[in-house]
Amino acid sequence: MSGQLVSENPWQRRLRTPWRGLGLWFLGIPATFVGLWFITVVSMVTSFVGILLFPSATMLLRRRLDRYRGRIGRWTGHRIERPYLPQPDTEPGFQGVMRRFIALICDPATWRDYLWVVADPFVALFTAALPAVLIGYGVWGYLLAGFAGKLIGDHGGNDWYAYVHVHHGYGDDPAQLVLTAATGTLFIAAGFLIGPKMLDVYGRWGQAILGPTEKSRLALRVRHLTETRSDAVDASAAELRRIERDLHDGAQARLVAMGMTLGAIEHLLDRDPEKARLLLAQTRESSAQALHELRDLVRGIHPPVLADRGIVDAVKALALDHPLKTEVTGDLPARPEPPVESAAYFAVSEILTNAAKHSGASRVWVDLRYERGMLRVTVTDDGHGGASLDNGTGLRGIERRIGTFDGVLALNSPVGGPTIVTLELPCALSSPKTSPS
């Protein structure tokens, strides 16, 4: 379920689902016109004009149905992934046009999209929109009981409301008024009662038609693995360059200087023992600094506290050195796999660094949980908000790196704050923690 649905209590859901279902039905009106344009273009594919127009018509249909996927995910709790197969690289000329046309027309998701716009108005009417229709019919019963029934009868009309006959003189029969109002109440109650179930059925329909097939899911999986493997290789190369640079500019330079100083001491031992003693003291200080730099470098590769104590204690150690007041909560039942721990640790470290540099916050909260096979890390700050994945704060890099583990990053940062960054990494835990005997 989505976070929005989880935050709603059952009564709120019952009150809102009929109108959400009606909104999903109305969303099909513009989609129907897009579908008409799409099938018109399809009818022209025997000509070069149809081939030229087909990609743009397909993309227009996909953009419209992407809105459906997002709305269905938010309102029904059934998240729908984009199902489209990877498209070929753009090439100029006639050959590029034909390759794109063939890729789109052979993608099963293209025709499932068209099936959706044809069938959805009818499916939605009897699923998502049905509760609102029942409520509207119930309100019509109240209007008949109040004044519309007599108005219809006075003008010579005859009609039925469910099983109650509306006829001339209707307003003079109190029993029929009560029966009509009671029947309307039943329709309204039924609409609110079945609303969540009908919206759930509609969400499943959306997943079945708008979601990926096994073929497209496999192709998307291959593309995702290719991208994350490339990102992992790039990240590893960048990390190796950083280690090499730190060694070259830090410990290595200091050790070279120590070697030169020891050579000078060797020549000064007999001629100027006092100066040799001074250089020895400097060399000892340099060795201590080199050792400190090497320890910092090792901590940057894999902090000892992470290896010894686990992700929760390692993040708490980060919080102690952070310039902002940072509160860490979390009690995992066991430890995740070491690569996942390391990825989560460095992701949290970078998010905390970003918060200190860019957020204008005074406090940060970090929460670590293990839920449904996922290590879930939430970092919240009380800053001014306005963060995005594309404004150079490093969040996109974090997203790529945790993508190596099939992890996802979600950002919620409205202007004015707060900023909430959530990481989810699928992983297994080691054996549960046991109490010391």
Side-chain angles (χ1 to χ4, degrees):
M1 285 291 186
S2 66
Q4 182 181 10
L5 295 182
V6 170
S7 64
E8 293 177 342
N9 62 48
W11 286 107
Q12 286 177 319
R13 287 204 66 205
R14 291 193 188 281
L15 290 174
R16 292 174 180 173
T17 48
W19 319 120
R20 288 174 175 174
L22 190 62
L24 288 168
W25 185 77
F26 279 122
L27 199 63
I29 296 174
T32 300
F33 288 105
V34 173
L36 288 173
W37 168 242
F38 174 81
I39 200 61
T40 301
V41 171
V42 169
S43 68
M44 298 189 293
V45 294
T46 53
S47 68
F48 188 66
V49 174
I51 294 174
L52 283 176
L53 292 176
F54 186 81
S56 63
T58 303
M59 291 300 106
L60 179 62
L61 183 62
R62 290 183 177 185
R63 286 194 297 272
R64 170 54 52 180
L65 295 192
D66 280 341
R67 293 192 62 188
Y68 260 111
R69 293 183 183 94
R71 194 71 61 87
I72 291 171
R74 289 194 300 273
W75 284 356
T76 72
H78 293 280
R79 182 174 175 270
I80 304 176
E81 301 174 34
R82 295 186 89 243
Y84 308 114
L85 295 175
Q87 293 185 42
D89 296 332
T90 304
E91 295 181 11
F94 176 77
Q95 186 176 357
V97 171
M98 288 302 300
R99 285 192 63 189
R100 191 174 185 214
F101 167 75
I102 292 171
L104 290 173
I105 204 168
C106 293
D107 189 344
T110 299
W111 304 105
R112 290 158 69 89
D113 284 353
Y114 180 66
L115 171 64
W116 174 271
V117 297
V118 170
D120 182 67
F122 306 100
V123 176
L125 183 62
F126 291 100
T127 55
L130 181 61
V133 172
L134 292 177
I135 293 170
Y137 193 60
V139 172
W140 172 239
Y142 284 141
L143 295 177
L144 288 175
F147 65 90
K150 188 174 187 309
L151 193 63
I152 292 172
D154 289 344
H155 287 80
N158 288 299
D159 205 352
W160 287 84
Y161 178 70
Y163 54 85
V164 182
H165 190 210
V166 179
H167 57 83
H168 186 69
Y170 174 92
D172 298 326
D173 188 345
Q176 285 190 342
L177 293 178
V178 173
L179 188 57
T180 303
T183 304
T185 302
L186 289 176
F187 277 113
I188 293 173
F192 283 114
L193 285 173
I194 69 172
K197 184 62 178 177
M198 289 294 101
L199 210 58
D200 180 69
V201 171
Y202 185 78
R204 295 178 187 276
W205 150 255
Q207 279 186 322
I209 304 300
L210 296 181
T213 62
E214 287 305 314
K215 179 182 177 181
S216 60
R217 195 185 300 275
L218 180 60
L220 293 170
R221 176 67 174 162
V222 170
R223 182 174 65 176
H224 174 72
L225 290 175
T226 302
E227 291 173 351
T228 55
R229 182 183 64 182
S230 176
D231 291 336
V233 170
D234 292 343
S236 297
E239 185 67 11
L240 287 173
R241 288 194 298 269
R242 182 188 70 81
I243 294 171
E244 181 183 12
R245 185 177 62 251
D246 289 347
L247 284 171
H248 182 272
D249 297 342
Q252 178 180 325
R254 202 172 295 280
L255 289 172
V256 170
M258 286 170 57
M260 295 173 64
T261 303
L262 289 172
I265 291 170
E266 185 179 3
H267 290 88
L268 289 171
L269 278 174
D270 295 330
R271 289 185 297 156
D272 192 348
E274 190 63 33
K275 188 171 183 181
R277 190 178 296 108
L278 180 62
L279 289 176
L280 278 172
Q282 292 176 355
T283 304
R284 185 172 62 249
E285 183 181 347
S286 293
S287 69
Q289 291 177 344
L291 182 60
H292 180 72
E293 289 172 355
L294 285 172
R295 284 173 175 167
D296 286 343
L297 183 62
V298 170
R299 279 196 294 269
I301 298 172
H302 194 78
V305 67
L306 179 61
D308 297 339
R309 305 286 299 277
I311 180 68
V312 175
D313 287 336
V315 172
K316 287 180 178 178
L318 274 178
L320 292 175
D321 295 331
H322 198 259
L324 303 179
K325 185 176 181 181
T326 305
E327 180 181 336
V328 180
T329 58
D331 184 20
L332 304 182
R335 291 186 59 172
E337 300 151 343
V340 173
E341 273 195 328
S342 181
Y345 172 84
F346 286 108
V348 172
S349 177
E350 187 161 349
I351 293 169
L352 290 176
T353 300
N354 288 339
K357 288 182 178 179
H358 307 292
S359 70
S362 60
R363 297 191 66 184
V364 182
W365 296 265
V366 183
D367 182 71
L368 299 101
R369 291 283 179 268
Y370 186 76
E371 300 173 346
R372 298 187 297 275
M374 294 276 185
L375 174 63
R376 182 184 179 92
V377 183
T378 304
V379 183
T380 306
D381 68 61
D382 60 356
H384 50 62
S388 76
L389 292 174
D390 302 311
N391 63 1
T393 59
L395 293 176
R396 184 66 73 184
I398 296 173
E399 183 181 43
R400 288 196 297 268
R401 285 198 295 275
I402 66 173
T404 308
F405 302 90
D406 281 346
V408 295
L409 181 149
L411 173 67
N412 182 18
S413 183
V415 176
T419 294
I420 303 173
V421 183
T422 302
L423 310 175
E424 286 189 347
L425 292 95
C427 65
L429 296 183
S430 61
S431 58
K433 292 187 291 188
T434 56
S435 302
S437 55

